[in-house]
Amino acid sequence: FAFNNVGNLTVDGGTLSLGSSTVDVNGNLSVSAGSFTTSSGSSSFAGNLTLSGGSFSANGGSVVLDGGSQTLSGAITFNNLTKTVSSAATLTFPASTTVTIAGTLTLNGSSGNLLSLRSSITDTQASIDPQGSRSVSYLDVKDINNTSGSNITCSTGCANSGNNTGWTFLIAGVTITESSGSTSLSEAGTTDTYTIVLTTSPASSVT
């Protein structure tokens, strides 16, 4: 069955299992007691996700965070987790708590519109444990500790705003190539041309 166009979803006791349903929650998800098992397919959440009690089971499915700025609270374990934005937004992780991604982690902003990753308490690290593959680009990362033991490499449009652990940020550089294979020039010599190419995509405009 479809579980679509739901507003806020609250689980405060009992058991709610969504099987293989198509899930689209347009508000917040709050689990304070009982048991919540999300779909084994794809589940979309536009609001915040809070686990303050009870249990959250990923059921081998994929969770898509399709709102603007969103907050995760509690030690949630996902299978696949995706957030991709075309307008600047922030994804906030719980300070001093670990969010686990057992499958694929996909976090993407866009050129000029970064997805910021932040801890719920500034200057206190939040931890993530991405155990599978990663697809990341156009991020602004601060106070995020990757505990997986394998660095997350962000090579396209990413900004390191400090206090991060377990990340590799590749800084944009340039390659200059001469057309005739020589850098020796003289006033009476032949004209040479140079091509300047960015080796990685920058996070903001280059002048």
Side-chain angles (χ1 to χ4, degrees):
F1 65 93
F3 199 78
N4 292 330
N5 301 315
V6 177
N8 293 327
L9 177 59
T10 299
V11 179
D12 55 10
T15 299
L16 176 60
S17 180
L18 300 182
S20 59
S21 309
T22 299
V23 176
D24 183 12
V25 177
N26 293 324
N28 300 321
L29 169 66
S30 176
V31 180
S32 59
S35 173
F36 174 73
T37 301
T38 192
S39 172
S40 61
S42 181
S43 302
S44 298
F45 297 91
N48 302 324
L49 276 63
T50 300
L51 176 63
S52 58
S55 65
F56 177 103
S57 174
N59 198 22
S62 297
V63 168
V64 178
L65 303 177
D66 62 355
S69 293
Q70 294 176 267
T71 297
L72 304 178
S73 300
I76 304 173
T77 296
F78 298 97
N79 183 41
N80 301 323
L81 178 65
T82 296
K83 185 169 178 64
T84 297
V85 299
S86 56
S87 298
T90 300
L91 177 59
T92 301
F93 292 90
S96 303
T97 303
T98 300
V99 170
T100 301
I101 305 92
T104 299
L105 174 64
T106 303
L107 298 172
N108 295 300
S110 56
S111 181
N113 292 284
L114 301 186
L115 172 60
S116 296
L117 306 184
R118 292 293 186 267
S119 169
S120 58
I121 301 175
T122 300
D123 297 329
T124 298
Q125 286 187 328
S127 294
I128 61 173
D129 183 8
Q131 299 172 354
S133 61
R134 304 86 178 265
S135 174
V136 297
S137 65
Y138 296 105
L139 303 179
D140 179 345
V141 186
K142 185 179 188 301
D143 299 330
I144 303 298
N145 178 19
N146 163 27
T147 65
S148 70
S150 173
N151 274 21
I152 299 172
T153 298
C154 195
S155 59
T156 303
C158 288
N160 177 7
S161 289
N163 194 31
N164 299 303
T165 304
W167 290 78
T168 299
F169 298 92
L170 300 184
I171 307 302
V174 296
T175 299
I176 301 177
T177 305
E178 64 276 12
S179 61
S180 299
S182 174
T183 57
S184 178
L185 302 176
S186 65
E187 185 176 350
T190 57
T191 300
D192 204 350
T193 59
Y194 293 83
T195 301
I196 300 176
V197 179
L198 294 176
T199 57
T200 58
S201 181
S204 56
S205 297
V206 174
T207 57

